Amino acid sequence: MKSILPPPDAAGLPVPPGGTAAAAWAHDWAATPLGPPAGWPRALKTAASIVLGSNVPMFLGWGPELLLIHNDSFGEIVGDRRPALGRPMREIWADIWPLVGANPERAFAGETVYMEADPRPVRRGGREEMVWFTYCYNPVRDERGEVAGIYCVITAANSDERTEERLRESEERFRLIADSAPVPMWVTKLDRRRGFVNRAYVDFLGISYDDAVDFDWREIIHPEDGARILAESIAGEASLKTFTLEARFRRGDGDWRWLRSISQPRWGAGGEHIGFIGVAHDITEWKLAEQALRDVNETLEGKVAARTADLSTALDRLTAEVADRERAEEALRQAQKMEAVGRLTGGIAHDFNNLLTPVIGGLEIISAGLEEERLKRIAEMALEAGRRGAKLTSQLLAFSRIQRLNMAAVEVNRAIGNLGQILSRTIGPDIVIRTALDPQAGHALCDENQLENAILNLAINARDAMPDGGELLISTEIVAEPLGPDLEAGDYVALTVADTGHGMAPDIAARATEPFFTTKPFGQGTGLGLAQVYGIARQAGGTLRIDSREGGGTVVKLLLPQVAPSESQSEAGATDRPVGMAEPGGNAHILVVDDDEDVRAFVADALAQLGYRVDTAKDGAAALAAIGAAVPDLMLLDFAMPGMNGAEAARAARAMRPGLPILFVSGYAESAQIEAALGNEAAMLRKPFGADELAAAVESALDRASRTDSTSR
């Protein structure tokens, strides 16, 4: 472009010769926030001279508002959005600023931004069109080195994207269209290697896409069709015309299917032959119908009978599928019922735990303080009844499946003995229960509540298998198992439940542990019993084995890893301490948080008798207020409370006082929420509990906190 000298009134505008700055010369800069050019800072004048002295489309955005200074070449790009000189960029491109604003803002933050083939809508001559720009944003710094503005250079502006991009889009559209087709499609090269196959092609073979591209179809052509298809394929390709093939091919699932393929040649841009494109249709049903028509002409009655049999088979299959669906729906309804019952049971157990905690604790304290023999005996009887109630709530929690998993060394024979009464009531008088417990069976690694649940499940299954009565044998022994697919090598406690019931066929026994699989009539089984027992065994590192035959009864063997009794179990009773007597140094400050007034009063009174300083709070909010006033040495925290539950209160307390020792006291152990608040090592005292259990748990928590504190120091 020829040089244009500035008019007389453009004095002070930094425009070197050769630029494209006619619009800038004619503009009234004094009417803009930038003011007259004579007063511009040196950095602005320098940057403006670069922009206005260039024939390449350039612009300058100055200050936080990015006030625009551009040459005439860039003015053509601004188009109908002019006049733009001296205006904020955000105002000029207000309609598309969410689209274009990020890059200039990045440059003003000090970053160089380069974009290639970036699409932008441009308005020129009353029309809007899409233009692909290649440009670079750069920060402009003032004399102090701080970013005062940005400048942008447009190096390319095209009305259309590159051919390569369009080609990629075209290929992608072809792939999407081909993959949506319900029939196999492929594209081959001159060397017969495939360059593309669609989804239906891959699905027919039942292998990965990469394997499908290189797959040799001769491997799955029916032996009777192979030689013919090979000859016809060679002849068809040589003709360079569209050709059709029909043959049987083995599908990925092993089924033989008739396919009719149509291949036609592909031609390059110069008219040269570059390969073939093909599509195949499954004509199996048509072939079968064709054969059936031929057979009808020969043996009409026979084919009618065969077709009737096929329809009957299809109807039977449909009937069976409907029955399977009904069983699945019934199983789902039963599972939903069990879930609802479980939640109700868990809630009842929680309430009973709250009731039993002060009852058991109070009776322990009363019994310890009584000297009169008769009253002491009555108190002990009441205490034992309370403990049986606590055992019942534990079993209810196990049934509801909200009991926190507690893997430990469990004495299996003792666990079986504890279930004696409940087994008798559950099984009924028509079935004789016998036990053969090996005294050397010892301890197994499992959750005791889950083990009891498993034994009950197995006993109930055995009862249902003996509707007319029979014998149920529960036995234990030690077995040495070699390394196997489901077990590590080692010694296992084998808990066996055997019945004299009707037994199961081999195919039924093989599926017995599948969830929702049941042979019982509707409404009499969910198919979850054996599946749950199997899951319990696998969680403990063991397994479940079933030996059954029709008419010969069933033997279910639960294998659990044998372990030595834990130190706490072997020393149980070694630290018996009279109730109400505090250990030396028990002057710690303890905050008791529980919404149940009776539980709160019992715990506070028992701890006070042990010599501790005790404060109480009825909910999480009150507890946080108490912690804000005086930080306790230990917080005893209930889980199920209105408003803010224990896990939420624990998280908030730890946010206020990191490292605050917390002992959860709950009869409704939602372990997932507790562990989310404090990790999987959160201490737990289960309701109901007595004063001695409370004392031991508090002492252990304080001791653990003391060790942690000394280690951190």
Side-chain angles (χ1 to χ4, degrees):
M1 178 178 286
K2 295 176 61 177
S3 175
I4 301 175
L5 295 178
D9 61 351
L13 188 66
V15 183
T20 57
W25 291 335
H27 193 67
D28 182 10
W29 293 101
T32 71
L34 290 171
W40 291 356
R42 180 180 303 173
L44 174 56
K45 289 182 178 180
T46 301
S49 68
I50 295 173
V51 170
L52 299 176
S54 174
N55 290 321
V56 176
M58 295 180 66
F59 70 86
L60 172 68
W62 191 256
E65 294 296 319
L66 297 178
L67 301 171
L68 199 67
I69 301 172
H70 65 76
N71 59 16
D72 293 346
S73 298
F74 185 78
E76 294 298 321
I77 294 175
V78 177
D80 294 351
R81 289 184 169 86
R82 289 177 292 186
L85 291 167
R87 294 170 58 199
M89 289 178 61
R90 181 185 293 273
E91 178 182 313
I92 299 166
W93 285 283
D95 59 324
I96 58 172
W97 190 252
L99 175 66
V100 304
N103 288 336
E105 289 173 352
R106 286 168 58 193
F108 193 78
E111 181 181 352
T112 296
V113 180
Y114 175 79
M115 298 297 291
E116 185 172 332
D118 193 17
R120 291 288 184 266
V122 174
R123 297 176 188 167
R124 290 186 289 206
R127 294 176 57 252
E128 183 168 286
E129 62 180 319
M130 186 65 70
V131 179
W132 283 261
F133 292 103
T134 298
Y135 59 87
C136 182
Y137 282 102
N138 296 274
V140 177
R141 300 183 183 274
D142 59 18
E143 292 82 1
R144 295 174 297 176
E146 299 178 353
V147 177
I150 64 171
Y151 76 91
C152 177
V153 182
I154 311 295
T155 60
N158 302 311
S159 297
D160 197 2
E161 289 194 87
R162 295 168 297 175
T163 303
E164 183 179 352
E165 283 293 324
R166 293 200 304 274
L167 179 59
R168 282 198 295 267
E169 290 182 1
S170 177
E171 290 175 348
E172 183 61 21
R173 283 195 296 270
F174 170 76
R175 182 180 294 275
L176 291 173
I177 293 171
D179 279 342
S180 66
V183 295
M185 298 176 63
W186 63 93
V187 177
T188 63
K189 307 173 186 177
L190 285 177
D191 59 0
R192 293 191 176 91
R193 294 177 63 85
R194 283 171 291 280
F196 168 79
V197 296
N198 72 343
R199 174 53 55 189
Y201 186 107
V202 174
D203 292 343
F204 184 90
L205 293 177
I207 56 180
S208 69
Y209 179 91
D210 291 338
D211 291 337
V213 169
D214 295 326
F215 187 80
D216 188 350
W217 276 81
R218 290 174 295 183
E219 295 180 10
I220 60 172
I221 297 177
H222 196 282
E224 297 177 6
D225 300 334
R228 173 180 59 81
I229 284 296
L230 183 59
E232 292 178 1
S233 178
I234 293 174
E237 291 176 1
S239 71
L240 294 183
K241 296 180 180 178
T242 301
F243 62 93
T244 302
L245 303 174
E246 289 185 7
R248 287 163 289 182
F249 296 86
R250 188 176 63 249
R251 199 165 53 189
D253 59 5
D255 193 15
W256 287 101
R257 308 296 295 178
W258 275 96
L259 295 183
R260 172 185 290 157
S261 66
I262 302 173
S263 300
Q264 61 183 23
R266 293 193 301 131
W267 309 99
E272 72 277 15
H273 178 231
I274 60 174
F276 287 86
I277 182 169
V279 60
H281 298 272
D282 189 328
I283 59 171
T284 305
E285 301 300 327
W286 183 84
K287 281 287 187 180
L288 292 175
E290 185 182 59
Q291 181 63 38
L293 183 59
R294 286 196 299 266
D295 292 342
V296 163
N297 293 331
E298 300 173 1
T299 55
L300 180 59
E301 292 183 359
K303 296 309 296 180
V304 169
R307 187 58 178 166
T308 302
D310 289 342
L311 292 173
S312 178
T313 301
L315 179 60
D316 291 342
R317 184 168 58 250
L318 179 60
T319 302
E321 290 174 356
V322 171
D324 287 342
R325 169 176 282 189
E326 290 176 349
R327 279 194 292 270
E329 291 173 349
E330 180 62 23
L332 177 60
R333 284 193 291 271
Q334 289 291 338
Q336 291 171 337
K337 291 178 183 177
M338 294 295 288
E339 178 69 18
V341 172
R343 290 182 178 275
L344 176 62
T345 303
I348 293 173
H350 165 251
D351 290 342
F352 268 97
N353 280 335
N354 273 341
L355 293 172
L356 288 172
T357 296
V359 171
I360 292 176
L363 286 172
E364 283 184 346
I365 296 174
I366 292 172
S367 176
L370 288 173
E371 296 183 359
E372 204 277 317
E373 187 64 28
R374 186 178 68 85
L375 293 178
K376 189 176 185 69
R377 185 172 65 255
I378 293 173
E380 289 292 342
M381 291 171 59
L383 182 59
E384 181 60 29
R387 288 169 178 159
R388 287 200 301 272
K391 182 66 175 178
L392 175 60
T393 60
S394 177
Q395 291 173 343
L396 288 174
L397 285 173
F399 170 76
S400 66
R401 298 192 299 279
I402 60 172
Q403 187 81 324
R404 191 183 187 192
L405 198 63
N406 182 24
M407 289 295 182
V410 177
E411 188 177 354
V412 177
N413 290 348
R414 179 183 58 79
I416 295 171
N418 290 342
L419 291 172
Q421 290 185 354
I422 193 170
L423 282 174
S424 297
R425 291 194 299 269
T426 302
I427 301 305
D430 295 333
I431 296 175
V432 177
I433 302 176
R434 294 196 304 109
T435 57
L437 308 181
D438 182 357
Q440 304 301 319
H443 296 73
L445 179 65
C446 61
D447 182 289
E448 184 167 2
N449 288 318
Q450 292 222 27
L451 176 61
E452 292 176 352
N453 196 20
I455 296 171
L456 284 172
N457 267 320
L458 295 177
I460 290 170
N461 278 351
R463 178 200 66 189
D464 294 342
M466 298 182 288
D468 299 323
E471 182 176 286
L472 174 66
L473 174 63
I474 303 176
S475 61
T476 58
E477 61 179 328
I478 298 296
V479 295
E481 290 288 332
L483 179 64
D486 58 348
L487 283 180
E488 297 290 335
D491 291 336
Y492 290 82
V493 178
L495 191 159
T496 303
V497 177
D499 64 63
T500 58
H502 49 63
M504 295 180 284
D507 59 326
I508 299 298
R511 300 185 60 191
T513 58
E514 292 182 11
F516 301 113
F517 176 77
T518 180
T519 58
K520 298 176 183 178
F522 285 160
Q524 296 186 22
T526 65
L528 295 174
L530 283 175
Q532 186 178 10
V533 176
Y534 176 74
I536 291 170
R538 295 301 293 155
Q539 282 181 330
T543 191
L544 187 73
R545 293 177 180 169
I546 301 174
D547 181 16
S548 182
R549 63 182 186 276
E550 288 185 285
T554 300
V555 177
V556 181
K557 184 171 292 186
L558 182 64
L559 295 176
L560 299 170
Q562 186 189 31
V563 293
S566 65
E567 181 179 347
S568 61
Q569 290 170 320
S570 61
E571 296 179 358
T575 58
D576 291 341
R577 178 170 60 244
V579 175
M581 294 184 63
E583 287 288 328
N587 192 34
H589 176 204
I590 300 176
L591 176 61
V592 178
V593 186
D594 199 302
D595 64 313
D596 189 289
E597 183 177 356
D598 293 335
V599 174
R600 192 168 66 247
F602 158 65
V603 174
D605 184 69
L607 292 176
Q609 289 190 43
L610 291 170
Y612 296 109
R613 293 181 292 112
V614 183
D615 285 330
T616 62
K618 66 178 181 178
D619 53 33
L624 297 179
I627 293 172
V631 182
D633 298 306
L634 176 67
M635 179 165 68
L636 269 68
L637 181 59
D638 186 28
F639 174 79
M641 296 186 296
M644 182 186 300
N645 66 34
E648 295 167 340
R651 189 179 294 108
R654 283 282 176 86
M656 293 173 58
R657 304 295 181 185
L660 173 66
I662 297 176
L663 173 61
F664 277 98
V665 180
S666 180
Y668 196 79
E670 288 286 0
S671 59
Q673 297 186 47
I674 293 174
E675 290 173 2
L678 298 184
N680 56 13
E681 298 300 326
M684 174 71 68
L685 176 60
R686 299 190 184 282
K687 296 178 182 177
F689 52 82
D692 52 349
E693 293 175 275
L694 174 63
V698 169
E699 182 181 345
S700 175
L702 289 171
D703 182 60
R704 183 166 55 251
S706 176
R707 290 198 305 271
T708 302
D709 184 57
S710 63
T711 301
S712 64
R713 290 199 298 269

